[in-house]
Amino acid sequence: MTESTTQNLLKTDAIIIGAGPVGLFAVFELGLNDIKCHLIDILDRPGGQCAELYPEKPIYDIPAVPVCTGTELTERLLEQINPFHPHFHFGQMAEKLEKTPDGKWRVTTDLGTVIEAGLVVVAAGGGSFVPKRPPIKGIETFEGKSVFYSVRKMEQFREKHIVIAGGGDSALDWVINLQPIAKRVTLVHRRDEFRAAPDSVLKMRALVSEGAMDLKIANLSSIVGTDGQISGVMLQEDGKTPHELACDNLLAFYGLTMKLGPVAHFGINLHENLIPVDTATFETSVPTIFAIGDINSYPGKMKLILSGFHEAALMAKKAFAYVHPDRRYRFQYTTSSSDLQSKLGVADAAE
Ligand SMILES: Cc1cc2nc3c(=O)[nH]c(=O)nc-3n(C[C@H](O)[C@H](O)[C@H](O)COP(=O)(O)OP(=O)(O)OC[C@H]3O[C@@H](n4cnc5c(N)ncnc54)[C@H](O)[C@@H]3O)c2cc1C
């Protein structure tokens, strides 16, 4: 088990790309095999599709859990892996994968986090979640400068006049979180109905009636500004002529879509945007790189959470041989192995 930091370089045993349900369970299986992990996800929280696409929907086919929502499943997985203290790097895209001169893997994210490990586990599901771009001509020249699709540092918006566009959870959450520090927040949505959690909608409406923020029911038709700096947005309200609303930043939350993204350039064999694997080990065409969950393909594959859990267990067995070449793998049950129970911190309770 190795883990250390040299300046900005993080070192661990395994880098897991994707913190969806399968990436999370991989932490558990690797942990039982004395393998430490760092996880990277472009989302700002764990859970992958369960958290992003169906947090409130019931799932009925998790073994021994007759029903739980996407959020509950994620919470239970986090509790289960807690004994292994995984390190999460959220809001970051795993962009580059390189081999180091000493045969390890180095993963670099778009925020400049650099992690080195002997193993890489690609648990990238249907790909990385990327924001849908609003249909506004020329918006790309403002992106990352004054127009954003996610909030990475709240401080950047202190004392700014912000327009937030959208009607879902992300838009409403950021309205509520940024309103106290921004100079002024204006929420722009095309209709006076919101998909966000009812509690968030109530909070937003209360802020509007207190006069602490503005709500505009309108379409964003264009952006005004130069050299990447926005100075306003043009709003098209029903039955009115378009008018300009001055602002320093536009935060647009028009939903997310999944794209394979950088994984396509990792040098691993792909077949129809999926990663073929050996079903005994879930290793890819590149030794020490594994692929589990929705991202992999093999004869008979079913894109179900329970398939990914099984794959994580077999992956961890092969991973053990790489990380601990001097140790013999022992098959053990958590019910009866005091070794596994002490790793889980339940040794006393199990006696
Ligand atoms: C509406 C709906 C209902 C479903 N219902 C069920 C059900 O009832 N039962 C069931 O078993 N399954 C169900 N599924 C399928 C299930 O959600 C997936 O099988 C499961 O989420 C796969 O888990 P995963 O961890 O492999 O991938 P994902 O959940 O897709 O997570 C992958 C993560 O990797 C991240 N990622 C990818 N590439 C990168 C990168 N380069 N850098 C950083 N992060 C990256 C993504 O952002 C994502 O968070 C459902 C799916 C949907 C859409």
Side-chain angles (χ1 to χ4, degrees):
M1 220 183 315
T2 54
E3 207 163 37
S4 62
T5 311
T6 319
Q7 288 169 338
N8 291 330
L9 176 67
L10 301 162
K11 293 191 174 185
T12 188
D13 297 324
I15 302 163
I16 302 177
I17 298 174
V22 178
L24 294 179
F25 193 64
V27 173
F28 183 81
E29 291 296 333
L30 291 167
L32 289 181
N33 284 288
D34 296 329
I35 298 172
K36 289 270 180 200
C37 313
H38 280 232
L39 296 96
I40 304 168
D41 204 301
I42 187 67
L43 291 179
D44 59 4
R45 69 209 113 107
Q49 294 176 48
C50 303
E52 191 55 43
L53 300 181
Y54 57 103
E56 302 295 326
K57 278 204 172 130
I59 310 172
Y60 299 99
D61 57 352
I62 304 298
V65 181
V67 59
C68 69
T69 63
T71 301
E72 284 163 353
L73 179 72
T74 306
E75 283 167 359
R76 286 178 196 195
L77 284 165
L78 288 173
E79 186 187 336
Q80 194 167 23
I81 65 177
N82 194 37
F84 301 112
H85 309 295
H87 293 254
F88 289 102
H89 304 272
F90 289 121
Q92 303 190 39
M93 179 80 91
E95 237 172 20
K96 203 157 75 175
L97 175 70
E98 303 160 289
K99 195 109 190 182
T100 66
D102 59 348
K104 302 239 186 237
W105 294 108
R106 179 178 297 160
V107 175
T108 308
T109 74
D110 61 342
L111 284 191
T113 304
V114 187
I115 314 171
E116 258 183 38
L119 307 176
V120 172
V121 180
V122 183
S128 50
F129 283 98
V130 290
K132 287 185 190 157
R133 178 180 276 160
I136 296 175
K137 204 166 158 234
I139 194 168
E140 58 283 0
T141 60
F142 296 90
E143 287 171 358
K145 296 175 187 144
S146 57
V147 172
F148 302 95
Y149 306 128
S150 64
V151 176
R152 293 189 171 189
K153 286 199 182 94
M154 278 176 61
E155 272 308 304
Q156 159 179 21
F157 301 104
R158 184 174 288 281
E159 286 305 308
K160 295 282 170 66
H161 186 165
I162 313 164
V163 169
I164 297 183
D169 281 313
S170 298
L172 276 274
D173 284 354
W174 285 118
V175 160
I176 294 160
N177 286 319
L178 291 174
Q179 184 276 331
I181 66 163
K183 191 171 188 180
R184 192 75 185 168
V185 170
T186 305
L187 175 64
V188 177
H189 188 43
R190 64 196 150 80
R191 55 198 175 105
D192 200 7
E193 279 170 37
F194 297 86
R195 277 174 292 109
D199 183 51
S200 308
V201 179
L202 281 179
K203 281 189 189 144
M204 179 273 292
R205 291 206 191 277
L207 288 170
V208 173
S209 53
E210 284 162 19
M213 61 165 284
D214 302 303
L215 170 64
K216 297 276 181 200
I217 305 305
N219 279 310
L220 276 183
S221 52
S222 59
I223 288 180
V224 187
T226 47
D227 296 333
Q229 179 52 56
I230 190 171
S231 58
V233 287
M234 293 303 290
L235 297 185
Q236 173 70 71
E237 290 181 70
D238 237 6
K240 292 190 186 168
T241 48
H243 62 97
E244 185 177 337
L245 171 67
C247 65
D248 304 307
N249 292 114
L250 168 65
L251 287 166
F253 299 103
Y254 282 25
L256 299 172
T257 166
M258 293 189 92
K259 285 207 178 125
L260 181 60
V263 171
H265 312 292
F266 281 179
I268 313 167
N269 280 352
L270 293 175
H271 178 65
E272 294 177 349
N273 277 346
L274 296 169
I275 306 178
V277 284
D278 171 352
T279 52
T281 59
F282 293 92
E283 203 162 15
T284 67
S285 59
V286 182
T288 65
I289 299 187
F290 298 84
I292 55 174
D294 278 12
I295 192 75
N296 72 16
S297 81
Y298 53 87
K301 166 78 181 183
M302 289 174 86
K303 288 190 183 183
L304 285 174
I305 296 164
L306 66 84
S307 316
F309 289 172
H310 156 82
E311 294 160 13
L314 290 191
M315 173 278 293
K317 184 178 169 205
K318 180 71 192 272
F320 177 89
Y322 282 126
V323 178
H324 306 293
D326 47 337
R327 286 168 56 187
R328 194 170 61 84
Y329 178 85
R330 272 196 307 140
F331 175 81
Q332 303 176 84
Y333 292 126
T334 55
T335 36
S336 45
S337 159
S338 52
D339 171 37
L340 296 185
Q341 286 160 7
S342 83
K343 288 173 195 172
L344 292 168
V346 295
D348 293 341
E351 272 173 15

